[in-house]
Amino acid sequence: MSELEEAFTACKGVLATHQQAQTKRVADYLKVLPDLVKAIDEAGGKTFAMSSAQEVARSFAEMDAERVNVSIKSAIDLVREEVTSATAAMGNIAAWVNMQVPACETGNNFGVEVQELVLKRILEVKRELDDMVGKLPDYYKGRAESIARFGKETYEETERNDSQEKTKTQKDASALTEETKDTTRSNNKKFTKVLRNIDDWPAHLVEYDVSWYFKLRTMHASVRSYHLAVCDVVVKNMPKLLDPRNNVTGHGNNDRGGMMMF
């Protein structure tokens, strides 16, 4: 066996092991998906218990506008955790589908086209999840800018007083010498000034938080929908994902029986 053949054999072994690991990850994901969806629903029911905008606004108005909104922070933490978990799951499924694609051949590629369509949908979901988690820091940035624009600013001013002091020193019993020294005294004072005299800027922060509350609720619901959508497309097309060229069933090159599109 040549050196290239040995390397090829070793590479095939690594790929087979990796494919088995990916298959197990996907199987485990599909098994726990019902419990996962249930957990997402329960967490969403607790975190997003308020349903009307007025109710959310009243709750947020009772908080100190300049402090962190703990309700929004908890919602962001929840969404970030579920989005990152879903992103990892989509990555595993995409890798598994990609490894199911057979070697290139002429003809009988309908099953391969199905694999490509399924893979495309999974990668689209993964990109949407990546975009979602990337938007979460925008809440803190926008809120901080609002507070800086409408809030209060504390600064220091230093007052300097220049003066001269005259002192007399006696070097010996018969002579007195007068010396003049320049002295500078600094006095630091703290001041607080209102950048803009707008009484309703706390209401602006409340409305900002309310809008983000419903954005986060939508994101949370989207994560649940993405899980179910990917599960649906994978389960419906499982025969073609596992056996794109009907090598096991042996229905022939043009067979499209049993194919369920999404």
Side-chain angles (χ1 to χ4, degrees), residues 16-122:
T17 302
H18 180 64
Q19 186 173 11
Q20 290 176 356
Q22 289 299 115
T23 300
K24 185 178 185 306
R25 292 188 184 100
V26 173
D28 291 342
Y29 167 77
L30 295 176
K31 288 177 183 177
V32 302
L33 186 59
D35 293 333
L36 177 61
V37 172
K38 182 180 179 181
I40 291 175
D41 289 339
E42 291 177 351
K46 293 178 182 178
T47 304
F48 302 100
M50 296 179 289
S51 57
S52 70
Q54 289 183 347
E55 183 183 6
V56 177
R58 283 195 301 268
S59 175
F60 291 172
E62 296 173 357
M63 303 178 184
D64 186 345
E66 293 189 40
R67 294 187 177 275
V68 175
N69 187 318
V70 293
S71 297
I72 298 297
K73 184 180 183 303
S74 298
I76 289 177
D77 292 342
L78 173 66
V79 171
R80 182 189 297 111
E81 184 67 25
E82 292 184 351
V83 168
T84 52
S85 176
T87 302
M90 298 306 111
N92 287 331
I93 299 174
W96 173 75
V97 172
N98 197 48
M99 296 195 74
Q100 298 300 120
V101 178
C104 296
E105 293 181 7
T106 301
N108 193 22
N109 286 319
F110 178 71
V112 178
E113 293 174 3
V114 173
Q115 289 178 325
E116 292 175 350
L117 289 172
V118 172
L119 182 60
K120 179 182 177 182
R121 177 55 184 152
I122 295 170

Side-chain angles (χ1 to χ4, degrees), residues 141-188:
K141 179 182 178 181
R143 201 172 195 277
E145 289 176 349
S146 295
I147 293 176
R149 186 180 303 118
F150 298 113
K152 298 176 180 180
E153 181 183 83
T154 300
Y155 65 98
E156 291 188 2
E157 286 186 355
T158 301
E159 293 181 352
R160 299 185 60 183
N161 297 319
D162 296 329
S163 60
Q164 289 185 340
E165 292 184 353
K166 294 182 179 180
T167 58
K168 293 181 179 181
T169 58
Q170 184 173 354
K171 295 183 177 180
D172 52 48
S174 60
L176 285 175
T177 302
E178 186 176 88
E179 295 180 356
T180 301
K181 294 182 179 180
D182 294 330
T183 60
T184 301
R185 291 185 175 87
S186 299
N187 185 22
N188 293 333

Side-chain angles (χ1 to χ4, degrees), residues 216-227:
L216 292 166
R217 192 175 74 168
T218 301
M219 290 180 184
H220 182 267
S222 297
V223 174
R224 179 185 187 277
S225 298
Y226 287 146
H227 278 296

